[in-house]
Amino acid sequence: MTTGTTRTLCLLTLLLVGVFATTSSLHPPLQRTTYAPVPNDPLGHFQGNGIPVGISWTGDGQRIPNPSFETGSLSPWIQTQYNAAAGSTATITTPGYDGKKSAQLTLLSGNVTFNSYLYLLSDFSQQPVGFSSGLRFRAAALVQQMTGTSQYDRVETSIALTTSTGNLRTIHYIFASATSAPANSTADEYIVTGTGPTGQWVAIDRSVAADAAGGFPNDYPSFDSVSQVTLTGFAQTVPGAPNRDPHIGFWDSVGNGVWQSGESVIYDTNLDGKYETGEPSIGGCTDGTGSPIICSLAPPDGTSLATDPKIKFVDPDGNDVWDPGEAIVWDQFNTNIVNYYDTIIIGPKPDAGTLLMKIIQNHTSSLFDRIELYSNTAGADWIKNGGFESGLTAWYENSSFTTSTTTFHSGTHSARGSITDSSIEMAQSIDGRPVIDSSTIFKASANIATMTGTTASSIVDIWLGLVDANYNPVSLYYVYKTGDGSLPSNNTDTIYRKAGNFGTLNQWLSVNASLLQQTLAFNSLGYTPPYSVEVVVVEVRAQPSTSTTAYFDDISIRSSSHTETLPSTFYAVDGLNTTYAYVTQAIPQGSFHVEIPGGETILNITSPEGTLLRTSEYSTNLLTSCTISPCLTRPRAVDVSDTTILNHSPNGNWRVFTTSTNSLANVYDEDPTTHNQAPSINVGSTVNLVSQSKDPLGQPLAGVTANFTLWNTNTGMQSGFWTGTTDTNGWYNVSSVTLPLAGSTPGIYSLQAAVYSTYPGIRTFQISVRYTVAVTLAISASQISQGQTATISGNVTLTGTSTPGQGVNVTIYYRQAGNSQWTPLGTVKTDASGKFSFTWNPPQGQYEMKASTGDTQTAPTDSNREQLIVGPPTFPWTLVMSILVAVVVGASALLVFWRRKKNSLPSPAQPAQPPQPTQ
């Protein structure tokens, strides 16, 4: 072997060794098991309709007919104007504020003597609107034109309020004013609402009660109705220069500089201030009847003509110069207006009030829309200060009535009436005229301290003035005592009723009467229901030479609030609190009151526009008993006041969201023998299903519907359902249930219990229903070299039996020495005999091996642990030497071939010899 051959063989050997060494060091990729996620559990919540509750509210709704003029007509608005010039109109036009139409008021000012106005009036005399703390007014206006510059040039809406003592007060909401608003007075309050520029809508939303309290603090306790709403445009004609003509002078024959009757009035044609022959006399004298005529005597030629600023003329054609036929007047008081005392210099005689000056007519034009008035009188007391805690405020009283703090029925005050030889009355008008219905209750208490009279002329009573549907008046008297104990006789328009304990002295006698029942007698007398209350009067009388003293307290006329049943919905979640929603339907401006189950608490209250109320904007408290139907035991009251609703939409759906603790207190399955919870059981085990329900106060929910459902969490399918009723302790149980149920497979199940009652609830409990198995593990060799394979095998049997576990998933794990973390190597499935096998080619190292089970059908189990040592790789010399021999043999053969070929080649040619000569 040559040196070159040796080098070649060595190089090939090194290359082959390198290749084998590199291949042996690679770690084969490990197989990892991927587990599919468990589907979302379809259990854990349910929802539905909750129990209905009661709601009451005070709002009467919007009270103005045709508030946005969308009918295309102004009716039933009443158009009124004063001192308005021709061309002043009220019409329907476009655009509107929040609709297609609006009312347009166009006013041209008239006579300069008075201001001018044009308004539309909504009159409540036929359908009275009661005053209340939640009275709300909304309006929108757009000023199109306002040429005037005085305080009488403005655009406003106004509300007229009446008091129980007969006074009228008006609140003016000013949208635009040429100057500052008029000053407030005892009868009028002016509120500038924040005027906008001409041509833009300005909207207001006002608490009428708050405005009335600010403008009329002394009258506020006695306000009882709204009598009208007006939309008004004002304009003021302003005076210009007096009607004087410089051509008009007079012959001052007296020389005092002042014209007087009999002095000739001259028309100075050339304005030179002197009389010249031919210039006409145009008046100044009178005939025998006192009628004005032209003076026959003319001044001497060249006489200076005097002027008097009180000499003025009527200018009907408005050309600013005097024309023949136009009256000339001496304006005695310099008012620029003809009056009775003025002297007519020349006729025709003008009417009193005729202008002797130029005028500037002004225009005001505006649009009005969305004129809304919301009242809330349902449930209100129509008697003002009926307990006299504010003295005699709101009562029109005789001086013989005083306030008492020594004798009272409730509170700390009463009204005392004492009279001798006469009668006294104390009255209160009720301009809101509440209509009597089945809920209208009249209450009043009286205590007669003394009554020395012994005839029917001595009497203590309270009478109610009523009108029927046709406004025919009738009277209803409640008599507490008469001098002789008799009751006055009824007649065609008057009915008398006795108070309880009639005639007793020094004791509070009370009336608590349904006015609907009390007025039925009028029906038989030809009157037409329904009846309305217009006045209440307290009377004390004493016959001559006697005296009567009585105390009065707690006088009220009250009807119930509007009520209805409010549906609810609930949403119950596994293990969490249950939530409830109560949605009102179009509750109008006013307050509302809801009574919910006492175990619920408020999450939030949402306004119609979706905003959340602050906790300070509503109140809630537990009641000892219900006040509205349907009646709940110890309900929780939720109250939203009218002042809160003033800040929100006046008509909309309010949402009350509440919560209560989960009423399903416990749910589980138990071992029938030990009664211990059994979250993990073997296939075929028998258990009891157990649940208990309690209300939010911890009291058992007895006699309510409860149910169990059993769901396979792997398949998402329901496998069982049971329903029943809870016992007196709130338990609902199902005994001796074998799992899995017939037709079901082993797996992980959710047991859900649900209870439907005042307080719905739901809770789940997981039950593992699986086979339990025993697993063995063995390794083909405990020691191998790197590059060799190890066979890992084992056997699975059902626990406590020799029955093979067929089709069981077995995962092989390993961990290296010094490492606590197990690494999955792969998963195999057992065969029909319960056996499994796995082949592994591990890298060098020391390993601990185990096999584990655990899935939806097999409970978690670990096998015994086995050790595996993998040594360094063994060098393959036999293979290498075989390759080397083959290489050497091949090289030798190649060398022999080469040499043989070399020997067979011919010798090199000899050089040619030159030819030899012939011998």
Side-chain angles (χ1 to χ4, degrees):
M1 187 181 292
T2 65
T3 304
T5 300
T6 303
R7 285 199 301 268
T8 301
L9 290 173
C10 290
L11 179 58
L12 288 172
T13 300
L14 290 173
L15 288 173
L16 288 170
V17 171
V19 169
F20 275 90
T22 304
T23 303
S24 298
S25 67
L26 290 177
H27 192 293
L30 300 179
Q31 297 179 355
R32 296 183 180 274
T33 302
T34 302
Y35 297 96
V38 177
N40 289 332
D41 191 342
L43 302 175
H45 62 85
F46 78 111
Q47 62 190 48
N49 294 323
I51 65 167
V53 301
I55 181 173
S56 64
W57 68 94
T58 63
D60 306 315
Q62 204 284 115
R63 305 300 302 277
I64 295 178
N66 194 17
S68 295
F69 309 100
E70 295 302 314
T71 62
S73 167
L74 292 174
S75 179
W77 292 84
I78 301 170
Q79 179 180 340
T80 302
Q81 62 187 45
Y82 174 75
N83 194 31
S88 299
T89 60
T91 59
I92 299 295
T93 187
T94 57
Y97 174 70
D98 55 5
K100 296 180 179 180
K101 297 180 175 64
S102 60
Q104 182 180 43
L105 302 187
T106 301
L107 173 65
L108 284 68
S109 62
N111 196 304
V112 73
T113 310
F114 306 100
N115 64 311
S116 306
Y117 57 79
L118 168 66
Y119 65 74
L120 294 176
L121 179 147
S122 183
D123 177 39
F124 300 124
S125 60
Q126 301 303 310
Q127 305 238 333
V129 176
F131 183 88
S132 62
S133 61
L135 193 63
R136 182 175 185 175
F137 179 63
R138 304 205 306 169
L142 182 151
V143 178
Q144 297 175 304
Q145 183 183 35
M146 183 182 294
T147 62
T149 59
S150 73
Q151 69 173 357
Y152 298 107
D153 297 278
R154 66 180 187 271
V155 173
E156 69 174 36
T157 60
S158 62
I159 295 179
L161 306 175
T162 66
T163 72
S164 60
T165 54
N167 294 320
L168 183 68
R169 304 289 183 255
T170 304
I171 303 174
H172 304 260
Y173 296 107
I174 298 177
F175 287 93
S177 179
T179 61
S180 60
N184 291 345
S185 67
T186 57
D188 294 276
E189 177 188 14
Y190 296 90
I191 298 175
V192 178
T193 61
T195 58
T198 300
Q200 291 188 13
W201 284 100
V202 176
I204 63 171
D205 191 342
R206 307 290 301 192
S207 167
V208 178
D211 292 336
F216 311 105
N218 294 330
D219 293 305
Y220 182 78
S222 61
F223 282 130
D224 70 348
S225 79
V226 180
S227 65
Q228 63 184 36
V229 169
T230 58
L231 319 176
T232 311
F234 291 89
Q236 174 72 58
T237 296
V238 296
N243 291 337
R244 299 191 184 103
D245 190 330
H247 293 87
I248 298 176
F250 71 95
W251 177 20
D252 187 10
S253 58
V254 177
N256 62 356
V258 176
W259 177 86
Q260 55 192 27
S261 182
E263 293 181 330
S264 180
V265 176
I266 306 297
Y267 189 83
D268 185 5
T269 306
N270 59 7
L271 291 175
D272 64 354
K274 295 180 180 181
Y275 173 76
E276 296 176 357
T277 302
E279 290 181 328
S281 172
I282 56 177
C285 294
T286 57
D287 60 14
T289 64
S291 299
I293 59 174
I294 297 173
C295 295
S296 58
L297 181 64
D301 192 45
T303 301
S304 295
L305 298 177
T307 59
D308 187 335
K310 291 185 178 182
I311 296 177
K312 303 167 186 176
F313 66 96
V314 177
D315 189 17
D317 59 7
N319 65 353
D320 295 336
V321 296
W322 177 82
D323 299 310
E326 294 178 342
I328 301 176
V329 179
W330 187 71
D331 185 7
Q332 179 175 351
F333 301 107
N334 209 27
T335 61
N336 295 326
I337 300 173
V338 176
N339 62 55
Y340 177 79
Y341 299 99
D342 292 341
T343 301
I344 308 303
I345 294 176
I346 192 67
K349 183 179 181 180
D351 294 332
T354 302
L355 297 180
L356 298 174
M357 59 183 170
K358 301 174 181 63
I359 60 170
I360 301 174
Q361 186 183 58
N362 283 306
H363 300 176
T364 297
S365 179
S366 56
L367 305 181
F368 292 92
D369 196 7
R370 199 200 67 181
I371 314 300
E372 298 174 344
L373 182 67
Y374 294 87
S375 66
N376 63 316
T377 58
D381 187 354
W382 290 94
I383 302 297
K384 305 298 180 180
N385 189 31
F388 305 99
E389 298 302 311
S390 299
L392 300 180
T393 298
W395 292 88
Y396 186 84
E397 83 284 354
N398 184 286
S399 59
S400 295
F401 277 97
T402 59
T403 302
S404 172
T405 59
T406 59
T407 303
F408 44 80
H409 184 250
S410 69
T412 58
H413 293 74
S414 66
R416 178 181 183 273
S418 184
I419 190 64
T420 300
D421 301 335
S422 186
S423 64
I424 54 175
E425 294 181 341
M426 182 172 64
Q428 188 173 122
S429 67
I430 306 175
D431 299 324
R433 293 210 308 272
V435 175
I436 295 173
D437 60 24
S438 60
S439 69
T440 308
I441 302 297
F442 171 65
K443 294 182 179 181
S445 296
N447 187 323
I448 298 91
T450 59
M451 180 179 286
T452 61
T454 57
T455 70
S457 298
S458 293
I459 189 172
V460 173
D461 66 70
I462 298 178
W463 71 270
L464 303 178
L466 315 176
V467 293
D468 74 351
N470 299 316
Y471 302 100
N472 297 308
V474 293
S475 297
L476 180 61
Y477 281 80
Y478 290 93
V479 182
Y480 292 88
K481 181 175 174 58
T482 60
D484 61 1
S486 65
L487 197 66
S489 300
N490 296 337
N491 55 49
T492 56
D493 62 0
T494 305
I495 294 176
Y496 292 89
R497 303 293 189 197
K498 287 183 178 181
N501 295 321
F502 170 80
T504 306
L505 290 173
N506 296 307
Q507 178 181 320
W508 283 102
L509 312 179
S510 296
V511 172
N512 186 348
S514 167
L515 290 184
L516 182 64
Q517 294 297 320
Q518 298 292 302
T519 55
L520 290 177
F522 289 120
N523 299 346
S524 61
L525 297 175
Y527 295 96
T528 305
Y531 300 89
S532 300
V533 186
E534 286 195 326
V535 66
V536 58
V537 181
V538 175
E539 293 184 321
V540 179
R541 298 179 187 174
Q543 68 188 67
S545 302
T546 67
S547 63
T548 303
T549 299
Y551 298 85
F552 299 88
D553 202 358
D554 296 333
I555 304 173
S556 68
I557 298 176
R558 190 185 295 271
S559 299
S560 65
S561 301
H562 307 293
T563 60
E564 69 178 15
T565 299
L566 187 63
S568 69
T569 57
F570 70 87
Y571 183 72
V573 181
D574 177 20
L576 300 179
N577 289 348
T578 301
T579 57
Y580 310 82
Y582 302 89
V583 182
T584 70
Q585 297 299 314
I587 293 294
Q589 169 63 40
S591 61
F592 68 84
H593 169 92
V594 181
E595 293 182 6
I596 61 175
E600 296 178 22
T601 57
I602 301 297
L603 282 175
N604 60 68
I605 299 177
T606 305
S607 70
E609 56 271 22
T611 59
L612 300 183
L613 294 190
R614 299 185 298 272
T615 55
S616 60
E617 294 181 300
Y618 64 87
S619 63
T620 176
N621 63 288
L622 287 172
L623 304 179
T624 56
S625 61
C626 66
T627 64
I628 52 178
S629 179
C631 185
L632 304 179
T633 302
R634 289 186 57 80
R636 180 179 298 277
V638 181
D639 291 281
V640 178
S641 68
D642 50 25
T643 55
T644 292
I645 297 182
L646 276 168
N647 299 318
H648 300 279
S649 173
N651 199 335
N653 297 342
W654 288 78
R655 291 170 171 81
V656 179
F657 295 96
T658 66
T659 184
S660 69
T661 57
N662 193 331
S663 59
L664 213 300
N666 291 292
V667 59
Y668 55 89
D669 72 310
E670 67 175 14
D671 184 294
T673 303
T674 65
H675 299 291
N676 293 329
Q677 291 187 13
S680 181
I681 61 175
N682 198 13
V683 172
S685 298
T686 298
V687 297
N688 297 333
L689 309 183
V690 180
S691 71
Q692 186 183 29
S693 301
K694 296 181 179 181
D695 69 17
L697 302 178
Q699 299 302 309
L701 287 175
V704 299
T705 300
N707 62 60
F708 290 114
T709 50
L710 188 66
W711 294 74
N712 188 316
T713 61
N714 186 47
T715 64
M717 301 298 293
Q718 178 180 317
S719 62
F721 176 79
W722 302 262
T723 187
T725 304
T726 60
D727 65 16
T728 56
N729 293 316
W731 293 100
Y732 169 61
N733 302 337
V734 177
S735 301
S736 302
V737 178
T738 301
L739 299 178
L741 300 175
S744 300
T745 60
I748 308 298
Y749 286 83
S750 280
L751 174 65
Q752 173 175 282
V755 61
Y756 182 77
S757 70
T758 300
Y759 305 103
I762 183 173
R763 199 175 293 271
T764 62
F765 183 79
Q766 183 170 289
I767 306 174
S768 172
V769 184
R770 295 184 287 189
Y771 292 105
T772 59
V773 297
V775 183
T776 63
L777 178 72
I779 304 176
S780 58
S782 61
Q783 294 185 10
I784 62 173
S785 296
Q786 180 175 317
Q788 294 178 332
T789 60
T791 299
I792 305 162
S793 60
N795 191 50
V796 177
T797 58
L798 299 182
T799 301
T801 71
S802 59
T803 304
Q806 180 182 356
V808 177
N809 292 320
V810 180
T811 301
I812 311 300
Y813 290 88
Y814 74 90
R815 65 182 178 186
Q816 290 183 305
N819 190 349
S820 61
Q821 184 69 38
W822 289 95
T823 301
L825 188 58
T827 299
V828 293
K829 190 182 292 289
T830 61
D831 59 18
S833 60
K835 298 182 181 302
F836 64 90
S837 179
F838 187 85
T839 301
W840 186 29
N841 188 353
Q844 180 178 339
Q846 295 184 21
Y847 299 92
E848 185 175 22
M849 311 295 296
K850 75 172 182 177
S852 298
T853 63
D855 55 24
T856 59
Q857 297 195 9
T858 307
T861 305
D862 285 345
S863 71
N864 55 298
R865 298 177 185 180
E866 297 293 336
Q867 303 297 318
L868 175 62
I869 299 175
V870 181
T874 302
F875 193 80
W877 291 110
T878 302
L879 177 61
V880 173
M881 291 308 296
S882 297
I883 294 174
L884 288 176
V885 169
V887 171
V888 171
V889 171
S892 298
L894 182 61
L895 181 59
V896 171
F897 174 77
W898 179 71
R899 285 180 175 177
R900 285 180 179 178
K901 186 175 182 180
K902 182 177 180 183
N903 292 336
S904 65
L905 292 176
S907 301
Q910 299 294 322
Q913 298 294 324
Q916 295 296 323
T918 303
Q919 294 294 332

